[in-house]
Short mmCIF file of all heavy atoms in Angstrom, two decimals:
data_model
loop_
_atom_site.label_atom_id
_atom_site.label_comp_id
_atom_site.label_asym_id
_atom_site.label_seq_id
_atom_site.Cartn_x
_atom_site.Cartn_y
_atom_site.Cartn_z
N MET A 1 -2.18 -13.70 -10.92
CA MET A 1 -2.07 -12.69 -9.91
C MET A 1 -3.45 -12.29 -9.40
O MET A 1 -3.62 -12.14 -8.18
CB MET A 1 -1.35 -11.49 -10.49
CG MET A 1 -1.27 -10.37 -9.56
SD MET A 1 -0.46 -8.84 -10.19
CE MET A 1 0.56 -9.34 -11.51
N ASP A 2 -4.40 -12.15 -10.27
CA ASP A 2 -5.72 -11.72 -9.87
C ASP A 2 -6.37 -12.69 -8.94
O ASP A 2 -7.01 -12.31 -7.93
CB ASP A 2 -6.62 -11.48 -11.11
CG ASP A 2 -6.72 -12.69 -11.99
OD1 ASP A 2 -5.68 -13.31 -12.30
OD2 ASP A 2 -7.85 -13.04 -12.41
N ILE A 3 -6.17 -13.99 -9.14
CA ILE A 3 -6.75 -15.01 -8.29
C ILE A 3 -6.14 -14.97 -6.89
O ILE A 3 -6.82 -15.04 -5.87
CB ILE A 3 -6.56 -16.41 -8.92
CG1 ILE A 3 -7.38 -16.47 -10.19
CG2 ILE A 3 -6.97 -17.50 -7.95
CD1 ILE A 3 -7.11 -17.69 -11.03
N ILE A 4 -4.81 -14.82 -6.83
CA ILE A 4 -4.14 -14.78 -5.53
C ILE A 4 -4.54 -13.57 -4.71
O ILE A 4 -4.80 -13.66 -3.53
CB ILE A 4 -2.60 -14.85 -5.77
CG1 ILE A 4 -2.23 -16.23 -6.34
CG2 ILE A 4 -1.86 -14.59 -4.49
CD1 ILE A 4 -0.85 -16.33 -6.80
N VAL A 5 -4.59 -12.40 -5.38
CA VAL A 5 -5.02 -11.19 -4.68
C VAL A 5 -6.47 -11.31 -4.23
O VAL A 5 -6.80 -11.00 -3.07
CB VAL A 5 -4.82 -9.94 -5.56
CG1 VAL A 5 -5.43 -8.69 -4.92
CG2 VAL A 5 -3.34 -9.75 -5.85
N GLY A 6 -7.32 -11.84 -5.09
CA GLY A 6 -8.74 -12.02 -4.73
C GLY A 6 -8.90 -12.93 -3.55
O GLY A 6 -9.68 -12.64 -2.61
N GLN A 7 -8.17 -14.05 -3.55
CA GLN A 7 -8.26 -14.97 -2.44
C GLN A 7 -7.77 -14.35 -1.14
O GLN A 7 -8.33 -14.57 -0.09
CB GLN A 7 -7.47 -16.25 -2.75
CG GLN A 7 -8.13 -17.13 -3.78
CD GLN A 7 -7.26 -18.35 -4.13
OE1 GLN A 7 -6.10 -18.43 -3.75
NE2 GLN A 7 -7.85 -19.29 -4.81
N LYS A 8 -6.71 -13.57 -1.22
CA LYS A 8 -6.19 -12.91 -0.04
C LYS A 8 -7.21 -11.99 0.58
O LYS A 8 -7.41 -12.01 1.77
CB LYS A 8 -4.92 -12.13 -0.42
CG LYS A 8 -4.26 -11.41 0.71
CD LYS A 8 -3.49 -12.37 1.59
CE LYS A 8 -2.61 -11.61 2.57
NZ LYS A 8 -1.82 -12.48 3.38
N PHE A 9 -7.89 -11.24 -0.25
CA PHE A 9 -8.93 -10.30 0.24
C PHE A 9 -10.16 -11.09 0.74
O PHE A 9 -10.75 -10.72 1.75
CB PHE A 9 -9.35 -9.30 -0.85
CG PHE A 9 -8.49 -8.07 -0.84
CD1 PHE A 9 -7.35 -8.01 -1.56
CD2 PHE A 9 -8.88 -6.99 -0.05
CE1 PHE A 9 -6.57 -6.86 -1.54
CE2 PHE A 9 -8.09 -5.83 -0.03
CZ PHE A 9 -6.93 -5.77 -0.78
N LEU A 10 -10.57 -12.13 0.02
CA LEU A 10 -11.75 -12.85 0.44
C LEU A 10 -11.55 -13.58 1.74
O LEU A 10 -12.47 -13.74 2.54
CB LEU A 10 -12.18 -13.83 -0.65
CG LEU A 10 -12.78 -13.18 -1.91
CD1 LEU A 10 -12.93 -14.23 -2.99
CD2 LEU A 10 -14.06 -12.50 -1.57
N ARG A 11 -10.33 -14.03 2.03
CA ARG A 11 -10.06 -14.79 3.28
C ARG A 11 -9.71 -13.91 4.42
O ARG A 11 -9.53 -14.38 5.54
CB ARG A 11 -8.91 -15.76 2.96
CG ARG A 11 -9.27 -16.87 2.04
CD ARG A 11 -8.13 -17.77 1.79
NE ARG A 11 -8.49 -18.83 0.87
CZ ARG A 11 -7.65 -19.54 0.19
NH1 ARG A 11 -6.33 -19.36 0.35
NH2 ARG A 11 -8.03 -20.45 -0.66
N SER A 12 -9.56 -12.60 4.20
CA SER A 12 -9.14 -11.66 5.22
C SER A 12 -10.34 -11.03 5.91
O SER A 12 -11.42 -10.91 5.33
CB SER A 12 -8.28 -10.57 4.63
OG SER A 12 -7.11 -11.11 4.08
N SER A 13 -10.14 -10.59 7.13
CA SER A 13 -11.16 -9.84 7.86
C SER A 13 -11.20 -8.42 7.31
O SER A 13 -10.30 -8.00 6.60
CB SER A 13 -10.84 -9.84 9.37
OG SER A 13 -9.66 -9.06 9.57
N GLY A 14 -12.20 -7.65 7.69
CA GLY A 14 -12.31 -6.29 7.29
C GLY A 14 -11.09 -5.48 7.69
O GLY A 14 -10.61 -4.63 6.91
N MET A 15 -10.61 -5.72 8.89
CA MET A 15 -9.41 -4.99 9.36
C MET A 15 -8.20 -5.33 8.54
O MET A 15 -7.38 -4.49 8.18
CB MET A 15 -9.16 -5.31 10.86
CG MET A 15 -8.13 -4.45 11.44
SD MET A 15 -7.88 -4.50 13.26
CE MET A 15 -8.62 -5.97 13.79
N ASP A 16 -8.03 -6.63 8.21
CA ASP A 16 -6.89 -7.05 7.39
C ASP A 16 -7.01 -6.48 5.97
O ASP A 16 -6.01 -6.10 5.36
CB ASP A 16 -6.79 -8.54 7.31
CG ASP A 16 -6.32 -9.13 8.64
OD1 ASP A 16 -5.68 -8.43 9.43
OD2 ASP A 16 -6.58 -10.34 8.87
N ARG A 17 -8.22 -6.40 5.46
CA ARG A 17 -8.40 -5.81 4.12
C ARG A 17 -8.00 -4.33 4.12
O ARG A 17 -7.40 -3.82 3.20
CB ARG A 17 -9.84 -5.96 3.70
CG ARG A 17 -10.27 -7.35 3.41
CD ARG A 17 -11.74 -7.44 3.10
NE ARG A 17 -12.18 -8.83 2.93
CZ ARG A 17 -13.44 -9.18 2.81
NH1 ARG A 17 -14.41 -8.29 2.87
NH2 ARG A 17 -13.73 -10.47 2.71
N ALA A 18 -8.40 -3.64 5.20
CA ALA A 18 -8.06 -2.21 5.32
C ALA A 18 -6.52 -2.06 5.33
O ALA A 18 -5.99 -1.14 4.71
CB ALA A 18 -8.69 -1.62 6.56
N ARG A 19 -5.84 -2.90 6.07
CA ARG A 19 -4.38 -2.87 6.13
C ARG A 19 -3.77 -3.13 4.78
O ARG A 19 -2.87 -2.43 4.33
CB ARG A 19 -3.82 -3.85 7.16
CG ARG A 19 -2.35 -3.78 7.36
CD ARG A 19 -1.78 -4.96 8.12
NE ARG A 19 -2.04 -6.23 7.47
CZ ARG A 19 -1.37 -6.72 6.41
NH1 ARG A 19 -0.43 -6.01 5.82
NH2 ARG A 19 -1.68 -7.89 5.90
N LEU A 20 -4.30 -4.12 4.06
CA LEU A 20 -3.82 -4.39 2.69
C LEU A 20 -3.96 -3.21 1.77
O LEU A 20 -3.06 -2.88 1.03
CB LEU A 20 -4.53 -5.61 2.12
CG LEU A 20 -4.09 -6.98 2.60
CD1 LEU A 20 -5.10 -8.06 2.17
CD2 LEU A 20 -2.72 -7.31 2.08
N LYS A 21 -5.15 -2.60 1.83
CA LYS A 21 -5.40 -1.42 0.99
C LYS A 21 -4.45 -0.31 1.34
O LYS A 21 -3.88 0.38 0.45
CB LYS A 21 -6.85 -0.93 1.14
CG LYS A 21 -7.84 -1.77 0.40
CD LYS A 21 -9.24 -1.27 0.67
CE LYS A 21 -9.48 0.12 0.13
NZ LYS A 21 -10.88 0.54 0.16
N GLY A 22 -4.19 -0.12 2.61
CA GLY A 22 -3.33 0.96 3.06
C GLY A 22 -1.88 0.80 2.72
O GLY A 22 -1.14 1.76 2.59
N THR A 23 -1.44 -0.45 2.59
CA THR A 23 -0.02 -0.68 2.35
C THR A 23 0.30 -0.94 0.87
O THR A 23 1.46 -0.96 0.49
CB THR A 23 0.51 -1.89 3.14
OG1 THR A 23 -0.24 -3.07 2.79
CG2 THR A 23 0.41 -1.63 4.66
N CYS A 24 -0.68 -1.09 0.07
CA CYS A 24 -0.50 -1.41 -1.35
C CYS A 24 0.41 -0.40 -2.05
O CYS A 24 1.37 -0.80 -2.73
CB CYS A 24 -1.82 -1.51 -2.09
SG CYS A 24 -1.69 -1.97 -3.82
N ALA A 25 0.16 0.88 -1.92
CA ALA A 25 0.95 1.89 -2.61
C ALA A 25 2.40 1.90 -2.15
O ALA A 25 3.26 2.37 -2.93
CB ALA A 25 0.32 3.26 -2.44
N SER A 26 2.70 1.44 -0.97
CA SER A 26 4.06 1.40 -0.47
C SER A 26 4.91 0.32 -1.21
O SER A 26 6.11 0.46 -1.29
CB SER A 26 4.08 1.07 1.01
OG SER A 26 3.41 2.08 1.73
N TYR A 27 4.25 -0.69 -1.69
CA TYR A 27 4.93 -1.82 -2.31
C TYR A 27 4.80 -1.85 -3.84
O TYR A 27 5.73 -2.20 -4.54
CB TYR A 27 4.45 -3.16 -1.77
CG TYR A 27 4.85 -3.36 -0.33
CD1 TYR A 27 4.08 -2.93 0.70
CD2 TYR A 27 6.04 -4.04 -0.03
CE1 TYR A 27 4.46 -3.13 2.03
CE2 TYR A 27 6.48 -4.23 1.27
CZ TYR A 27 5.65 -3.79 2.29
OH TYR A 27 6.02 -3.97 3.61
N VAL A 28 3.61 -1.51 -4.33
CA VAL A 28 3.35 -1.62 -5.76
C VAL A 28 3.44 -0.24 -6.41
O VAL A 28 2.76 0.67 -5.95
CB VAL A 28 1.90 -2.22 -5.97
CG1 VAL A 28 1.59 -2.33 -7.45
CG2 VAL A 28 1.79 -3.55 -5.29
N LYS A 29 4.24 -0.15 -7.42
CA LYS A 29 4.52 1.16 -8.05
C LYS A 29 3.74 1.31 -9.38
O LYS A 29 4.23 1.99 -10.29
CB LYS A 29 6.01 1.29 -8.30
CG LYS A 29 6.88 1.17 -7.05
CD LYS A 29 6.43 2.14 -5.98
CE LYS A 29 7.20 1.96 -4.72
NZ LYS A 29 6.54 2.42 -3.56
N ASN A 30 2.60 0.74 -9.48
CA ASN A 30 1.74 0.86 -10.67
C ASN A 30 0.45 1.52 -10.25
O ASN A 30 -0.35 0.94 -9.50
CB ASN A 30 1.47 -0.54 -11.29
CG ASN A 30 0.67 -0.44 -12.54
OD1 ASN A 30 -0.44 0.07 -12.55
ND2 ASN A 30 1.21 -1.04 -13.60
N ASP A 31 0.27 2.77 -10.67
CA ASP A 31 -0.89 3.58 -10.26
C ASP A 31 -2.21 2.90 -10.59
O ASP A 31 -3.15 2.96 -9.81
CB ASP A 31 -0.84 4.97 -10.86
CG ASP A 31 0.27 5.81 -10.25
OD1 ASP A 31 0.74 5.49 -9.14
OD2 ASP A 31 0.67 6.80 -10.93
N ASN A 32 -2.30 2.29 -11.75
CA ASN A 32 -3.57 1.63 -12.15
C ASN A 32 -3.91 0.48 -11.22
O ASN A 32 -5.08 0.33 -10.82
CB ASN A 32 -3.50 1.15 -13.59
CG ASN A 32 -3.46 2.30 -14.57
OD1 ASN A 32 -3.99 3.37 -14.33
ND2 ASN A 32 -2.76 2.09 -15.69
N PHE A 33 -2.90 -0.32 -10.89
CA PHE A 33 -3.11 -1.48 -10.00
C PHE A 33 -3.55 -0.93 -8.62
O PHE A 33 -4.54 -1.43 -8.02
CB PHE A 33 -1.83 -2.27 -9.88
CG PHE A 33 -1.96 -3.50 -9.03
CD1 PHE A 33 -2.21 -4.72 -9.62
CD2 PHE A 33 -1.78 -3.48 -7.66
CE1 PHE A 33 -2.35 -5.88 -8.89
CE2 PHE A 33 -1.91 -4.62 -6.88
CZ PHE A 33 -2.19 -5.83 -7.50
N VAL A 34 -2.86 0.06 -8.10
CA VAL A 34 -3.16 0.62 -6.78
C VAL A 34 -4.57 1.20 -6.76
O VAL A 34 -5.33 0.99 -5.80
CB VAL A 34 -2.10 1.67 -6.38
CG1 VAL A 34 -2.53 2.39 -5.08
CG2 VAL A 34 -0.74 1.02 -6.19
N ASN A 35 -4.97 1.88 -7.82
CA ASN A 35 -6.31 2.43 -7.87
C ASN A 35 -7.39 1.37 -7.84
O ASN A 35 -8.42 1.54 -7.17
CB ASN A 35 -6.52 3.29 -9.14
CG ASN A 35 -5.75 4.61 -9.07
OD1 ASN A 35 -5.45 5.10 -7.99
ND2 ASN A 35 -5.45 5.15 -10.23
N ILE A 36 -7.15 0.26 -8.47
CA ILE A 36 -8.09 -0.86 -8.45
C ILE A 36 -8.22 -1.42 -7.02
O ILE A 36 -9.34 -1.65 -6.49
CB ILE A 36 -7.71 -1.97 -9.45
CG1 ILE A 36 -7.89 -1.46 -10.86
CG2 ILE A 36 -8.51 -3.23 -9.20
CD1 ILE A 36 -7.35 -2.39 -11.91
N ILE A 37 -7.09 -1.60 -6.36
CA ILE A 37 -7.09 -2.08 -4.98
C ILE A 37 -7.80 -1.11 -4.06
O ILE A 37 -8.56 -1.51 -3.20
CB ILE A 37 -5.65 -2.37 -4.48
CG1 ILE A 37 -5.00 -3.49 -5.31
CG2 ILE A 37 -5.63 -2.70 -3.00
CD1 ILE A 37 -5.74 -4.79 -5.25
N GLU A 38 -7.57 0.18 -4.23
CA GLU A 38 -8.21 1.17 -3.38
C GLU A 38 -9.71 1.21 -3.53
O GLU A 38 -10.42 1.72 -2.70
CB GLU A 38 -7.60 2.55 -3.65
CG GLU A 38 -6.18 2.60 -3.08
CD GLU A 38 -5.50 3.92 -3.37
OE1 GLU A 38 -5.97 4.73 -4.19
OE2 GLU A 38 -4.43 4.14 -2.78
N ASN A 39 -10.24 0.65 -4.65
CA ASN A 39 -11.72 0.64 -4.88
C ASN A 39 -12.43 -0.54 -4.22
O ASN A 39 -13.62 -0.67 -4.28
CB ASN A 39 -12.00 0.68 -6.37
CG ASN A 39 -11.75 2.03 -6.95
OD1 ASN A 39 -11.97 3.04 -6.28
ND2 ASN A 39 -11.30 2.07 -8.16
N ILE A 40 -11.63 -1.43 -3.61
CA ILE A 40 -12.25 -2.59 -2.98
C ILE A 40 -12.93 -2.22 -1.69
O ILE A 40 -12.40 -1.49 -0.86
CB ILE A 40 -11.17 -3.69 -2.70
CG1 ILE A 40 -10.67 -4.24 -4.02
CG2 ILE A 40 -11.77 -4.81 -1.82
CD1 ILE A 40 -9.59 -5.32 -3.81
N ASP A 41 -14.20 -2.66 -1.56
CA ASP A 41 -14.97 -2.38 -0.35
C ASP A 41 -14.56 -3.39 0.71
O ASP A 41 -14.76 -4.59 0.55
CB ASP A 41 -16.46 -2.51 -0.69
CG ASP A 41 -17.37 -2.31 0.56
OD1 ASP A 41 -16.85 -1.94 1.62
OD2 ASP A 41 -18.56 -2.57 0.40
N ILE A 42 -13.94 -2.89 1.77
CA ILE A 42 -13.43 -3.84 2.78
C ILE A 42 -14.53 -4.56 3.57
O ILE A 42 -14.29 -5.53 4.24
CB ILE A 42 -12.49 -3.12 3.77
CG1 ILE A 42 -13.22 -2.02 4.53
CG2 ILE A 42 -11.23 -2.60 3.05
CD1 ILE A 42 -12.42 -1.45 5.69
N ASN A 43 -15.75 -4.05 3.48
CA ASN A 43 -16.86 -4.67 4.17
C ASN A 43 -17.72 -5.59 3.30
O ASN A 43 -18.84 -5.96 3.71
CB ASN A 43 -17.75 -3.56 4.78
CG ASN A 43 -16.96 -2.79 5.82
OD1 ASN A 43 -16.32 -3.36 6.67
ND2 ASN A 43 -17.05 -1.50 5.75
N ASP A 44 -17.24 -5.96 2.14
CA ASP A 44 -17.94 -6.84 1.21
C ASP A 44 -17.93 -8.26 1.76
O ASP A 44 -17.01 -9.01 1.52
CB ASP A 44 -17.30 -6.73 -0.17
CG ASP A 44 -18.03 -7.60 -1.19
OD1 ASP A 44 -19.13 -8.04 -0.95
OD2 ASP A 44 -17.44 -7.80 -2.26
N LYS A 45 -18.94 -8.62 2.51
CA LYS A 45 -18.99 -9.93 3.19
C LYS A 45 -19.17 -11.09 2.22
O LYS A 45 -18.68 -12.18 2.42
CB LYS A 45 -20.12 -9.93 4.21
CG LYS A 45 -19.97 -8.84 5.24
CD LYS A 45 -20.10 -9.34 6.63
CE LYS A 45 -20.08 -8.30 7.68
NZ LYS A 45 -18.97 -7.44 7.80
N LYS A 46 -19.93 -10.90 1.14
CA LYS A 46 -20.17 -11.96 0.18
C LYS A 46 -19.05 -12.10 -0.85
O LYS A 46 -18.90 -13.13 -1.49
CB LYS A 46 -21.48 -11.72 -0.56
CG LYS A 46 -22.69 -11.82 0.29
CD LYS A 46 -23.95 -11.64 -0.48
CE LYS A 46 -25.15 -11.72 0.40
NZ LYS A 46 -26.40 -11.50 -0.32
N GLY A 47 -18.23 -11.06 -0.99
CA GLY A 47 -17.12 -11.15 -1.90
C GLY A 47 -17.50 -10.80 -3.34
O GLY A 47 -16.65 -10.88 -4.23
N THR A 48 -18.73 -10.38 -3.57
CA THR A 48 -19.13 -10.10 -4.97
C THR A 48 -18.35 -8.94 -5.55
O THR A 48 -17.81 -9.07 -6.67
CB THR A 48 -20.65 -9.75 -4.96
OG1 THR A 48 -21.34 -10.78 -4.30
CG2 THR A 48 -21.18 -9.58 -6.38
N GLN A 49 -18.26 -7.87 -4.84
CA GLN A 49 -17.59 -6.72 -5.34
C GLN A 49 -16.10 -6.96 -5.41
O GLN A 49 -15.43 -6.56 -6.34
CB GLN A 49 -17.87 -5.47 -4.46
CG GLN A 49 -17.44 -4.16 -5.01
CD GLN A 49 -16.08 -3.74 -4.46
OE1 GLN A 49 -15.54 -4.31 -3.51
NE2 GLN A 49 -15.47 -2.80 -5.15
N ILE A 50 -15.55 -7.68 -4.43
CA ILE A 50 -14.12 -8.01 -4.44
C ILE A 50 -13.81 -8.86 -5.70
O ILE A 50 -12.79 -8.62 -6.37
CB ILE A 50 -13.72 -8.77 -3.15
CG1 ILE A 50 -13.79 -7.79 -1.95
CG2 ILE A 50 -12.32 -9.36 -3.26
CD1 ILE A 50 -13.60 -8.46 -0.61
N SER A 51 -14.64 -9.83 -5.99
CA SER A 51 -14.40 -10.65 -7.17
C SER A 51 -14.42 -9.81 -8.46
O SER A 51 -13.59 -10.01 -9.35
CB SER A 51 -15.44 -11.74 -7.26
OG SER A 51 -15.34 -12.60 -6.15
N ARG A 52 -15.40 -8.91 -8.57
CA ARG A 52 -15.47 -8.04 -9.72
C ARG A 52 -14.23 -7.16 -9.90
O ARG A 52 -13.69 -7.03 -10.99
CB ARG A 52 -16.70 -7.17 -9.66
CG ARG A 52 -17.71 -7.49 -10.72
CD ARG A 52 -18.92 -6.58 -10.61
NE ARG A 52 -19.63 -6.96 -9.41
CZ ARG A 52 -20.29 -6.13 -8.66
NH1 ARG A 52 -20.44 -4.89 -8.99
NH2 ARG A 52 -20.88 -6.53 -7.52
N VAL A 53 -13.81 -6.56 -8.79
CA VAL A 53 -12.64 -5.70 -8.84
C VAL A 53 -11.40 -6.48 -9.18
O VAL A 53 -10.58 -6.07 -9.99
CB VAL A 53 -12.49 -4.90 -7.52
CG1 VAL A 53 -11.16 -4.18 -7.45
CG2 VAL A 53 -13.62 -3.93 -7.36
N CYS A 54 -11.24 -7.66 -8.55
CA CYS A 54 -10.07 -8.47 -8.80
C CYS A 54 -10.02 -9.02 -10.23
O CYS A 54 -8.91 -9.26 -10.75
CB CYS A 54 -9.94 -9.55 -7.79
SG CYS A 54 -9.45 -8.92 -6.17
N ALA A 55 -11.17 -9.17 -10.86
CA ALA A 55 -11.18 -9.59 -12.26
C ALA A 55 -10.49 -8.55 -13.15
O ALA A 55 -9.90 -8.91 -14.14
CB ALA A 55 -12.63 -9.85 -12.72
N GLN A 56 -10.56 -7.29 -12.70
CA GLN A 56 -9.85 -6.23 -13.47
C GLN A 56 -8.36 -6.36 -13.40
O GLN A 56 -7.60 -5.91 -14.26
CB GLN A 56 -10.25 -4.86 -12.92
CG GLN A 56 -11.70 -4.54 -13.07
CD GLN A 56 -12.04 -3.23 -12.35
OE1 GLN A 56 -11.18 -2.36 -12.12
NE2 GLN A 56 -13.30 -3.03 -12.01
N LEU A 57 -7.91 -7.08 -12.37
CA LEU A 57 -6.45 -7.24 -12.17
C LEU A 57 -5.86 -8.25 -13.18
O LEU A 57 -4.64 -8.35 -13.30
CB LEU A 57 -6.15 -7.69 -10.75
CG LEU A 57 -6.55 -6.74 -9.66
CD1 LEU A 57 -6.24 -7.33 -8.28
CD2 LEU A 57 -5.87 -5.37 -9.79
N SER A 58 -6.72 -9.00 -13.83
CA SER A 58 -6.21 -10.03 -14.79
C SER A 58 -5.35 -9.41 -15.89
O SER A 58 -4.49 -10.04 -16.49
CB SER A 58 -7.33 -10.85 -15.37
OG SER A 58 -8.20 -10.02 -16.12
N SER A 59 -5.61 -8.14 -16.17
CA SER A 59 -4.83 -7.47 -17.23
C SER A 59 -3.36 -7.28 -16.83
O SER A 59 -2.52 -7.02 -17.67
CB SER A 59 -5.41 -6.11 -17.55
OG SER A 59 -5.39 -5.24 -16.43
N PHE A 60 -3.04 -7.47 -15.56
CA PHE A 60 -1.67 -7.31 -15.09
C PHE A 60 -0.95 -8.68 -14.98
O PHE A 60 0.22 -8.72 -14.55
CB PHE A 60 -1.66 -6.63 -13.72
CG PHE A 60 -2.24 -5.26 -13.69
CD1 PHE A 60 -3.49 -5.05 -13.20
CD2 PHE A 60 -1.54 -4.20 -14.22
CE1 PHE A 60 -4.06 -3.76 -13.18
CE2 PHE A 60 -2.06 -2.92 -14.23
CZ PHE A 60 -3.33 -2.72 -13.70
N ASN A 61 -1.61 -9.76 -15.29
CA ASN A 61 -1.06 -11.08 -15.07
C ASN A 61 0.28 -11.34 -15.71
O ASN A 61 1.10 -12.12 -15.21
CB ASN A 61 -2.07 -12.17 -15.42
CG ASN A 61 -3.12 -12.39 -14.37
OD1 ASN A 61 -3.02 -11.89 -13.24
ND2 ASN A 61 -4.18 -13.05 -14.72
N GLY A 62 0.57 -10.74 -16.86
CA GLY A 62 1.80 -11.04 -17.58
C GLY A 62 2.97 -10.16 -17.17
O GLY A 62 4.07 -10.33 -17.69
N GLU A 63 2.81 -9.24 -16.27
CA GLU A 63 3.87 -8.32 -15.86
C GLU A 63 4.69 -8.83 -14.70
O GLU A 63 4.29 -8.66 -13.55
CB GLU A 63 3.26 -6.94 -15.56
CG GLU A 63 2.52 -6.35 -16.76
CD GLU A 63 2.02 -4.95 -16.51
OE1 GLU A 63 2.68 -4.22 -15.71
OE2 GLU A 63 0.97 -4.60 -17.06
N LYS A 64 5.81 -9.41 -15.02
CA LYS A 64 6.66 -10.07 -13.99
C LYS A 64 7.12 -9.07 -12.96
O LYS A 64 7.14 -9.35 -11.78
CB LYS A 64 7.83 -10.78 -14.64
CG LYS A 64 8.66 -11.56 -13.65
CD LYS A 64 9.58 -12.55 -14.30
CE LYS A 64 10.44 -13.24 -13.33
NZ LYS A 64 9.83 -13.83 -12.18
N HIS A 65 7.61 -7.89 -13.38
CA HIS A 65 8.12 -6.93 -12.41
C HIS A 65 7.03 -6.48 -11.44
O HIS A 65 7.29 -6.30 -10.25
CB HIS A 65 8.71 -5.70 -13.11
CG HIS A 65 7.69 -4.86 -13.82
ND1 HIS A 65 7.15 -5.22 -15.02
CD2 HIS A 65 7.09 -3.71 -13.45
CE1 HIS A 65 6.25 -4.30 -15.39
NE2 HIS A 65 6.21 -3.36 -14.48
N LEU A 66 5.80 -6.39 -11.93
CA LEU A 66 4.69 -6.05 -11.07
C LEU A 66 4.35 -7.18 -10.11
O LEU A 66 4.09 -6.99 -8.94
CB LEU A 66 3.45 -5.68 -11.93
CG LEU A 66 2.22 -5.28 -11.12
CD1 LEU A 66 2.48 -4.07 -10.26
CD2 LEU A 66 1.08 -5.01 -12.06
N TRP A 67 4.45 -8.43 -10.61
CA TRP A 67 4.20 -9.58 -9.77
C TRP A 67 5.15 -9.63 -8.60
O TRP A 67 4.74 -9.94 -7.47
CB TRP A 67 4.28 -10.83 -10.61
CG TRP A 67 4.13 -12.09 -9.78
CD1 TRP A 67 5.04 -13.07 -9.62
CD2 TRP A 67 3.02 -12.43 -8.92
NE1 TRP A 67 4.56 -14.03 -8.73
CE2 TRP A 67 3.32 -13.64 -8.32
CE3 TRP A 67 1.82 -11.83 -8.62
CZ2 TRP A 67 2.49 -14.27 -7.41
CZ3 TRP A 67 0.98 -12.45 -7.75
CH2 TRP A 67 1.29 -13.65 -7.14
N ASN A 68 6.41 -9.28 -8.82
CA ASN A 68 7.38 -9.27 -7.71
C ASN A 68 6.96 -8.27 -6.64
O ASN A 68 7.10 -8.53 -5.45
CB ASN A 68 8.76 -8.95 -8.22
CG ASN A 68 9.34 -10.06 -9.11
OD1 ASN A 68 8.94 -11.21 -9.01
ND2 ASN A 68 10.24 -9.69 -9.99
N GLN A 69 6.49 -7.10 -7.08
CA GLN A 69 6.04 -6.11 -6.14
C GLN A 69 4.78 -6.58 -5.35
O GLN A 69 4.70 -6.38 -4.14
CB GLN A 69 5.72 -4.79 -6.84
CG GLN A 69 6.91 -4.15 -7.48
CD GLN A 69 6.55 -2.97 -8.37
OE1 GLN A 69 5.40 -2.50 -8.36
NE2 GLN A 69 7.51 -2.48 -9.13
N VAL A 70 3.88 -7.21 -6.06
CA VAL A 70 2.63 -7.72 -5.47
C VAL A 70 2.95 -8.81 -4.43
O VAL A 70 2.40 -8.83 -3.36
CB VAL A 70 1.66 -8.20 -6.53
CG1 VAL A 70 0.47 -8.95 -5.91
CG2 VAL A 70 1.17 -7.03 -7.37
N GLU A 71 3.90 -9.68 -4.77
CA GLU A 71 4.32 -10.73 -3.84
C GLU A 71 4.81 -10.09 -2.56
O GLU A 71 4.51 -10.55 -1.43
CB GLU A 71 5.36 -11.63 -4.43
CG GLU A 71 4.82 -12.70 -5.35
CD GLU A 71 5.93 -13.65 -5.81
OE1 GLU A 71 7.02 -13.16 -6.19
OE2 GLU A 71 5.70 -14.89 -5.80
N GLN A 72 5.69 -9.10 -2.65
CA GLN A 72 6.20 -8.47 -1.44
C GLN A 72 5.12 -7.79 -0.67
O GLN A 72 5.11 -7.87 0.58
CB GLN A 72 7.25 -7.39 -1.84
CG GLN A 72 8.53 -8.01 -2.40
CD GLN A 72 9.49 -6.96 -2.87
OE1 GLN A 72 9.17 -5.78 -2.93
NE2 GLN A 72 10.71 -7.35 -3.16
N TRP A 73 4.14 -7.20 -1.35
CA TRP A 73 3.02 -6.52 -0.68
C TRP A 73 2.16 -7.55 0.07
O TRP A 73 1.84 -7.34 1.24
CB TRP A 73 2.20 -5.79 -1.71
CG TRP A 73 0.86 -5.36 -1.28
CD1 TRP A 73 0.60 -4.52 -0.20
CD2 TRP A 73 -0.35 -5.66 -1.87
NE1 TRP A 73 -0.78 -4.35 -0.10
CE2 TRP A 73 -1.38 -5.00 -1.15
CE3 TRP A 73 -0.75 -6.35 -3.00
CZ2 TRP A 73 -2.71 -5.06 -1.48
CZ3 TRP A 73 -2.10 -6.48 -3.32
CH2 TRP A 73 -3.07 -5.80 -2.57
N LEU A 74 1.85 -8.67 -0.55
CA LEU A 74 1.01 -9.67 0.11
C LEU A 74 1.69 -10.33 1.29
O LEU A 74 1.08 -10.78 2.21
CB LEU A 74 0.56 -10.71 -0.91
CG LEU A 74 -0.37 -10.21 -2.02
CD1 LEU A 74 -0.69 -11.33 -2.98
CD2 LEU A 74 -1.66 -9.65 -1.39
N ARG A 75 3.03 -10.39 1.26
CA ARG A 75 3.80 -10.97 2.35
C ARG A 75 3.99 -10.04 3.54
O ARG A 75 4.38 -10.44 4.62
CB ARG A 75 5.15 -11.46 1.87
CG ARG A 75 5.12 -12.77 1.18
CD ARG A 75 6.49 -13.34 1.00
NE ARG A 75 6.67 -13.64 -0.42
CZ ARG A 75 7.69 -13.24 -1.15
NH1 ARG A 75 8.64 -12.56 -0.63
NH2 ARG A 75 7.74 -13.54 -2.43
N SER A 76 3.74 -8.78 3.29
CA SER A 76 4.00 -7.79 4.37
C SER A 76 3.03 -7.89 5.50
O SER A 76 2.00 -8.44 5.45
CB SER A 76 3.94 -6.37 3.78
OG SER A 76 2.62 -6.05 3.40
#
């Protein structure tokens, strides 16, 4: 999950990153996950900070119910 979310943010423009951050809480019902996403700097052009933040998401990789929510969020 962390890799997919990281790639989505790295491949997106700043405006798309802002939209992703803004819609995360509507789809994902895990406060810790949402807080991590909200800490992503949408203007991180090199992706360094995005990679670091998304590495924190690896702790959620085994949670299937959360993965379903994340999939819906990324497809929105």
